[in-house]
Amino acid sequence: MAQFVPVDTFDLVIFGGTGDLSQRKLLPALFHRDRDGQFTPESRIVALSRGEMTNEAFIKLVRGALETYLDEDKFEPEVWDRFSKRLHYITLDITTPDGWKSLARLLEPESNRCRVFYLALIPALFGETAKQLSEHGLINEGSRIVLEKPVGSDRDSAREINDGVGRFFNERQIYRIDHYLGKETVQNLSALRFANALLEPLWNRTHIDHVQITVSEHIGTGNRAQFYDRTGALRDMVQNHMLQLLCLVAMEPPLSMHHDELRNEKIKVLRALRPITPKNVARATVRGQYKQGAVDGQAVPGYADELGAESNTETFVAIRADVDNWRWQGTPFYLRTGKRLPEKTSEIVIQFRSIAHSIFEEREDGIEPNRLVIRLQPDEGVRLSMVTKEPGPGGFTLRSLPLNLSFNETYELGYPDAYERLLMEVLRGNPALFMRRDEVDAAWSWIDKIRNAWDSTGMAPLLYSAGTWGPTASAVLIDRDDRSWYQDGS
């Protein structure tokens, strides 16, 4: 079983340290890693926020968050006693000097220590925060800065943010986080492809018919509707999460697992994506927006009702993406994501081609092709469908059955969640699971072309009822190629 390896002594500074992300994800993740003995006694966690608060009040806030978001058996008093001693709170407004002086006084005695600055802030503040860190002498050789998504809202704004941060941090110090890259099953994509002799020779257009990537959400936008209206599904999910998954599936074998070798291969995939233009946008994409419907038997409002106004923002996107290179030419990648869909799930489906010739008595629907399903959430695991003969004397009957690897059932050691792994990789100084600047630029370049095509053609979102799998046009998009969306059991 895997072992938890301790990290060097650090100071982790969280900007936005009392916010939702910090309370729900970052602090519970750090508590888990402390629970498993990965932190030295001298390591510290410093939270910064504009609100006036004593250190005691902050510690009380953190305890409440951990009791809320951790499983009951994971909050151990002896671990809390150790963890709480690491916590420090400083009132800081990025635009005023007072809090910066307090932060400098706290960090300066340990000037050679690894310093991680985690920016759980709006992207517009990234550049100014980096500037203030530099002006107050807080950046040392071991400093790293973590940028939460989204890095920009288009290519131009992303470049502006990267330029602003890049003036004070070099590229090896910048960690652009996408929590999907920390998921255990996403990590296993590399192991599946490059550690199994039976898969990699088949991982190409000759043997794979198509690939589906689905990231569906059960919930709507709720009280986040105003924020979401400035983003939409294409920028919120496709630009980062889904394109990263596509890259990991489609990339060529890297020379090694070194971070730059991995990221070099991902950028080649992004640059090989066929542009979606006004000429093909109607056939290659579907925009949707949920209206009133029923979820789990309960009536729920539509997006416009939650927003309180009519809007052209999409809550659903389906795309046919084509990777124009030797490995994948002619093999489509179908991407689908949306809110208020029937279930919360993230999965990658590798659909292999049918056998070239059958020696068996054919059924009306033929022999079902093999399929590899990589499930990212929930119930992480890998399932490979294989055709076998049904036992019994009643003739030669074929049936497709799954070879199932469930992570929960197989591994006794509880594996860390995405933020736990990513935080540890930042502290170790390993940027393999983070987006390089040229990746961000290439991803936005492809996404911007889709948005421009939507705007120039006046392609508005199609309405779909909450609790369904999106507009009918989504089914038509893939049915046009004589294929269908995979549903568990289908």
Side-chain angles (χ1 to χ4, degrees):
M1 302 301 292
Q3 299 297 314
F4 295 120
V5 180
V7 295
D8 293 337
T9 300
F10 63 85
D11 284 330
L12 174 59
V13 181
I14 305 174
F15 289 82
T18 60
D20 184 62
L21 176 66
S22 181
Q23 292 189 54
R24 284 191 306 110
K25 295 293 185 180
L26 302 182
L27 291 166
L30 292 165
F31 184 86
H32 271 156
R33 295 302 90 229
D34 199 2
R35 179 175 177 264
D36 287 324
Q38 289 196 266
F39 299 161
T40 62
E42 299 81 14
S43 294
R44 298 182 295 184
I45 300 165
V46 185
L48 308 176
S49 185
R50 290 181 299 176
E52 293 285 346
M53 186 183 298
T54 64
N55 207 63
E56 292 73 19
F58 174 67
I59 291 173
K60 183 177 180 181
L61 175 73
V62 174
R63 176 163 187 153
L66 296 178
E67 290 175 341
T68 300
Y69 296 113
L70 290 178
D71 293 338
E72 188 175 344
D73 62 335
K74 297 293 179 62
F75 185 83
E76 299 176 5
E78 60 272 21
V79 179
W80 166 248
D81 184 60
R82 181 174 70 235
F83 186 75
S84 63
K85 290 180 173 61
R86 305 185 187 282
L87 301 175
H88 301 265
Y89 180 80
I90 294 175
T91 300
L92 182 144
D93 186 329
I94 290 168
T95 60
T96 62
D98 296 342
W100 291 104
K101 294 176 182 177
S102 299
L103 180 61
R105 283 195 298 270
L106 178 66
L107 298 184
E108 186 54 35
E110 305 295 344
S111 58
N112 295 322
R113 183 178 292 183
C114 168
R115 292 178 182 172
V116 173
F117 303 106
Y118 197 113
L119 273 53
L121 303 168
I122 60 173
L125 295 175
F126 289 173
E128 180 63 24
T129 304
K131 177 184 175 183
Q132 293 293 338
L133 287 168
S134 176
E135 290 183 352
H136 289 88
L138 296 172
I139 303 174
N140 63 14
E141 189 63 28
S143 291
R144 292 142 206 173
I145 189 167
V146 183
L147 309 183
E148 261 291 340
K149 80 170 188 72
V151 178
S153 57
D154 55 22
R155 188 183 185 189
D156 290 342
S157 60
R159 285 183 170 182
E160 182 178 349
I161 290 169
N162 283 319
D163 286 343
V165 176
R167 278 193 285 269
F168 309 102
F169 290 84
N170 59 49
E171 182 63 26
R172 68 175 176 79
Q173 294 177 300
I174 302 173
Y175 291 71
R176 301 170 188 87
I177 198 165
D178 181 345
H179 73 271
Y180 260 61
L181 294 182
K183 289 182 178 293
E184 192 66 46
T185 32
V186 173
Q187 293 292 289
N188 250 309
L189 276 171
S190 296
L192 280 170
R193 287 190 58 185
F194 306 130
N196 292 287
L198 77 163
L199 284 180
E200 179 53 28
L202 307 180
W203 210 267
N204 54 57
R205 61 187 175 88
T206 304
H207 301 285
I208 293 177
D209 178 76
H210 70 278
V211 177
Q212 297 181 27
I213 303 175
T214 294
V215 179
S216 65
E217 295 185 89
H218 199 43
I219 61 172
T221 57
N223 57 15
R224 294 182 66 250
Q226 295 290 339
F227 165 79
Y228 190 86
D229 203 55
R230 300 191 297 271
T231 306
L234 184 69
R235 289 186 286 198
D236 185 46
M237 295 298 291
V238 180
Q239 185 272 337
N240 40 74
H241 299 333
M242 302 194 78
L243 285 186
Q244 285 295 305
L245 295 178
L246 187 154
C247 286
L248 291 169
V249 172
M251 70 181 186
E252 294 297 316
L255 295 176
S256 71
M257 290 298 288
H258 184 269
H259 57 85
D260 273 332
E261 301 293 353
L262 284 168
R263 297 193 291 186
N264 287 343
E265 296 306 330
K266 288 198 293 177
I267 190 67
K268 292 177 186 177
V269 176
L270 291 170
R271 290 172 177 165
L273 284 171
R274 184 181 302 169
I276 294 177
T277 66
K279 290 184 178 180
N280 65 349
V281 69
R283 289 183 64 86
T285 73
V286 174
R287 296 181 80 188
Q289 183 185 109
Y290 64 85
K291 61 181 181 179
Q292 292 179 346
V295 176
D296 295 333
Q298 300 292 321
V300 296
Y303 174 71
D305 301 316
E306 294 172 340
L307 183 64
E310 296 299 317
S311 172
N312 254 356
T313 298
E314 75 284 351
T315 63
F316 175 95
V317 179
I319 299 173
R320 172 180 166 146
D322 288 270
V323 181
D324 288 334
N325 61 19
W326 274 91
R327 182 180 289 264
W328 296 113
Q329 191 66 43
T331 299
F333 288 71
Y334 299 101
L335 314 180
R336 175 176 61 161
T337 184
K339 292 186 176 294
R340 284 294 188 210
L341 301 184
E343 60 186 64
K344 177 181 176 66
T345 186
S346 299
E347 62 188 10
I348 301 167
V349 179
I350 312 297
Q351 181 66 63
F352 292 94
R353 295 190 182 278
S354 299
I355 58 173
H357 170 69
S358 174
I359 63 173
F360 306 103
E361 183 177 337
E362 293 286 349
R363 302 181 304 178
E364 286 188 14
D365 55 353
I367 296 175
E368 186 174 331
N370 302 120
R371 178 190 294 126
L372 179 67
V373 179
I374 304 162
R375 195 169 179 89
L376 311 180
Q377 66 178 10
D379 304 324
E380 294 94 331
V382 180
R383 188 165 65 244
L384 175 65
S385 67
M386 302 286 289
V387 177
T388 64
K389 175 191 175 297
E390 284 192 1
F396 209 98
T397 304
L398 301 179
R399 185 179 176 186
S400 181
L401 293 172
L403 302 177
N404 190 35
L405 168 61
S406 168
F407 283 16
N408 287 333
E409 295 176 4
T410 302
Y411 296 109
E412 297 176 4
L413 179 67
Y415 47 87
D417 73 12
Y419 274 99
E420 292 176 50
R421 173 176 288 103
L422 294 172
L423 285 167
M424 293 303 98
E425 294 304 288
V426 175
L427 292 170
R428 293 188 181 103
N430 179 16
L433 303 184
F434 302 84
M435 296 178 70
R436 203 167 61 191
R437 176 172 181 160
D438 53 357
E439 284 185 74
V440 176
D441 193 75
W444 274 124
S445 181
W446 192 69
I447 293 295
D448 283 353
K449 289 183 175 66
I450 297 176
R451 291 195 59 81
N452 292 338
W454 284 349
D455 291 342
S456 66
T457 60
M459 187 172 162
L462 302 170
L463 295 179
Y464 64 96
S465 297
T468 66
W469 281 104
T472 304
S474 171
V476 174
L477 171 79
I478 192 169
D479 182 68
R480 192 182 293 130
D481 299 332
D482 293 324
R483 300 177 176 107
S484 60
W485 292 108
Y486 170 78
Q487 302 298 149
D488 195 16
S490 66

